Amino acid sequence: MADPAAVPVLTIDGPSGSGKGTISRLVAERLGWRLLDSGALYRAVGYAAGEEGIDLSDAEAVTRCARTVKIRFQPSADGGETRVLVNGHDATDELRTETAGAAASAIAVIPSVREALVDLQHAFRKAPGLVADGRDMGTVIFPDAAHKFFLTASAAERAKRRYKQLKDKGLSVTLATLQREIEARDERDASRPVAPLKPAEGAVVIDTTGMPIDEVVAKVFAVVRP
Ligand code: DC
């Protein structure tokens, strides 16, 4: 079997609403590489734990859940959004909500939960290459990645983007509440002792405030020669 360490990895980390999800997908498509949406794994664990009635502060029970949950990414038949199956149930819509994001951020502070997801994330590293999207892709999971990026944007802009995304999906939210929630989540993700949200050493930092998507993609490809 080919050595996974020989497979190139490009990491894109950053806070929610920084544009990393969209940019990672576009970059992966253009390179013809696989995509790892690591946030979806944390969301899936938070969701599965909630479904089982587990208290999200019960580290032992949530870790057990992280070790046993079955998460499957299924490309949609019509070329649309990839579906996420959690223990066989299509939870794509539930995983997108702010409640799922907050639950993910809460369980992501538990070191044994992070540990339980390491092998699963490494398994995405397959030829011809991997684009990995998350908070600790360049710092912890793929420290040997050839290219590392860190996307940021002002909290106000990130809240506006999330507001538009959620509205487009028919979810009811207010901008002010969203901005408060985003700031609280960033604070928790950045201040946790294990794998905090921060740029990896040598990462190219791109502030995407006011920047159209194609310009961000162009900045990535100015560094990465396909
Ligand atoms: O990228 P996202 O919004 O789907 O991530 C949801 C939460 O999951 C985020 O607030 C923190 C956690 N997370 C993490 O701790 N490490 C990752 N690599 C990805 C997400």
Side-chain angles (χ1 to χ4, degrees):
M1 208 174 61
D3 177 11
V7 175
V9 180
L10 185 158
T11 59
I12 304 188
D13 289 305
S16 78
S18 59
K20 68 192 165 60
T22 307
I23 302 301
S24 299
R25 187 171 43 75
L26 292 172
V27 170
E29 273 169 17
R30 190 157 145 195
L31 291 169
W33 289 5
R34 289 160 170 267
L35 176 66
L36 165 61
D37 171 6
S38 61
L41 304 181
Y42 288 92
R43 285 172 185 259
V45 171
Y47 169 78
E51 287 293 284
E52 287 175 33
I54 294 170
D55 178 344
L56 298 186
S57 61
D58 181 344
E60 217 170 286
V62 179
T63 303
R64 221 171 13 247
C65 178
R67 288 191 186 129
T68 53
V69 66
K70 299 269 173 294
I71 307 167
R72 210 149 60 82
F73 292 91
Q74 196 171 60
S76 80
D78 57 5
E81 186 183 11
T82 299
R83 312 302 297 179
V84 190
L85 305 186
V86 182
N87 292 328
H89 165 74
D90 183 342
T92 317
D93 295 336
E94 290 99 321
L95 295 188
R96 251 196 308 258
T97 61
E98 285 308 291
T99 312
S105 172
I107 58 112
V109 303
I110 306 171
S112 48
V113 166
R114 305 196 69 83
E115 190 55 44
L117 296 177
V118 170
D119 288 350
L120 185 56
Q121 294 174 88
H122 285 165
F124 278 78
R125 187 171 195 170
K126 292 211 175 101
L130 175 70
V131 175
D133 157 359
R135 303 289 190 292
D136 62 344
M137 298 296 96
T139 49
V140 176
I141 304 296
F142 300 109
D144 63 334
H147 296 290
K148 300 181 183 184
F149 294 88
F150 190 87
L151 303 193
T152 64
S154 70
E157 168 119 355
R158 292 189 289 112
K160 256 190 274 168
R161 288 178 187 165
R162 283 293 289 158
Y163 180 75
K164 187 169 177 308
Q165 273 175 0
L166 295 173
K167 279 278 176 204
D168 287 349
K169 295 192 166 123
L171 296 166
S172 130
V173 276
T174 71
L175 187 56
T177 312
L178 201 52
Q179 182 160 341
R180 267 202 308 279
E181 286 174 359
I182 281 185
E183 281 168 346
R185 184 138 72 92
D186 290 350
E187 169 59 26
R188 182 164 45 196
D189 292 346
S191 62
R192 66 182 177 218
V194 179
L197 171 68
K198 64 164 188 216
E201 216 178 293
V204 176
V205 178
I206 306 175
D207 185 341
T208 69
T209 310
M211 200 183 276
I213 289 166
D214 53 354
E215 204 176 315
V216 185
V217 173
K219 281 196 181 291
V220 171
F221 282 105
V223 179
V224 181
R225 300 268 162 225

